[in-house]
Amino acid sequence: SMSISHSPGWRPSFIYYNKYTALLGGILCTAIMLFINIEYAVVAIIIAGIIYQYIAYNKPNVNWGSAFASRAKWKANDSSLRLYQYGDHVKNFQPSFLVLCKDNIFNTDNNHRTQSLIEYVLTLRHGFGTIVYSTVLLGSFDEYIDVISHKSQKNRGYYLPLAKKKAAFYEQVVSNNIRQGARLLMQLTGIGRLRTNTVVLGWKSNWTKEVKETY
């Protein structure tokens, strides 16, 4: 499984190693186990199967460092690179949204407007495009270094919180003002053909007051 996952940490030193010899070794080990004592072997296999099914069903929040996670990342990277051969066409256009949020999406207290914007854009997910929520942090980079590196427990992750039960990305940039931060996000968000093509903004709540003040 480690060979299939293309994990860089897997470096077998056996000179004759390949996936077929590994498979043969596994089959031989199972056969020898059954030959030595078939009752104990069957019980051990059943117990291992029950433990595996229990973990697969409950999905505990534990980082196992599994080969499946490594292979999923490799496949996603490989699939993204293969998209270069496909061009845009009206029949397969998929809207991808860059959502500019005022508040950090992990902070659910007193930011009902941001949460409403998140829920609204999630209703558009059936276009099957990329959805990236984003926040501009006003200040210096050194001030938000823990936030950007996701060391802060309140600002962790590159994805939408699990409580939303929907899949989407989340990015943060540090800038001196909102306009510059929004430009950075529009230029850098996405990768390859998975870049966003539609910007979503929240509706201003005090626009009538500001308009009156300009006259």
Side-chain angles (χ1 to χ4, degrees):
S1 62
M2 297 300 290
S3 296
I4 296 174
S5 67
H6 297 272
S7 175
W10 175 244
R11 305 183 187 93
S13 58
F14 182 47
I15 188 172
Y16 299 112
Y17 169 81
N18 60 55
K19 57 184 179 182
Y20 300 108
T21 56
L23 177 62
L24 178 61
I27 294 174
L28 289 176
C29 287
T30 305
I32 293 172
M33 182 173 65
L34 293 170
F35 179 77
I36 293 174
N37 193 313
I38 189 170
E39 291 85 2
Y40 287 172
V42 170
V43 171
I45 292 173
I46 292 174
I47 293 175
I50 292 174
I51 294 174
Y52 174 81
Q53 291 297 328
Y54 174 80
I55 294 174
Y57 178 79
N58 288 275
K59 296 179 180 179
N61 187 20
V62 178
N63 185 6
W64 303 101
S66 67
F68 295 105
S70 179
R71 178 165 177 79
K73 184 176 180 181
W74 172 77
K75 288 184 66 176
N77 181 68
D78 185 65
S79 298
S80 300
L81 292 173
R82 291 176 183 272
L83 289 176
Y84 78 93
Q85 57 187 314
Y86 300 103
D88 294 326
H89 194 279
V90 66
K91 291 189 294 185
N92 57 22
F93 174 78
Q94 293 172 315
S96 298
F97 304 102
L98 171 61
V99 188
L100 301 180
C101 303
K102 179 181 179 181
D103 303 306
N104 189 300
I105 64 175
F106 288 95
N107 298 330
T108 57
D109 298 332
N110 301 321
N111 68 342
H112 61 278
R113 293 174 181 170
T114 296
Q115 299 302 317
S116 298
L117 182 62
I118 293 173
E119 296 294 339
Y120 166 70
V121 177
L122 286 177
T123 63
L124 308 176
R125 69 185 183 279
H126 295 294
F128 302 106
T130 307
I131 299 178
V132 182
Y133 295 93
S134 58
T135 304
V136 178
L137 306 175
L138 299 179
S140 63
F141 184 83
D142 294 339
E143 181 182 355
Y144 290 100
I145 185 64
D146 287 341
V147 177
I148 296 299
S149 60
H150 301 289
K151 293 181 179 179
S152 173
Q153 292 298 313
K154 295 182 178 180
N155 303 278
R156 59 189 181 278
Y158 296 96
Y159 303 92
L160 197 65
L162 294 178
K164 297 297 180 182
K165 298 181 179 180
K166 299 293 186 297
F169 299 100
Y170 180 56
E171 291 291 347
Q172 299 176 101
V173 296
V174 179
S175 179
N176 295 325
N177 55 72
I178 296 292
R179 183 183 296 272
Q180 183 181 11
R183 288 175 175 174
L184 290 173
L185 287 168
M186 285 186 278
Q187 292 178 75
L188 300 175
T189 300
I191 181 172
R193 302 199 66 83
L194 297 179
R195 299 183 66 85
T196 54
N197 51 37
T198 306
V199 178
V200 181
L201 301 170
W203 188 259
K204 289 178 65 66
S205 59
N206 58 344
W207 65 272
T208 54
K209 179 181 178 181
E210 293 187 0
V211 169
K212 290 180 180 178
E213 290 178 351
T214 58
Y215 288 97

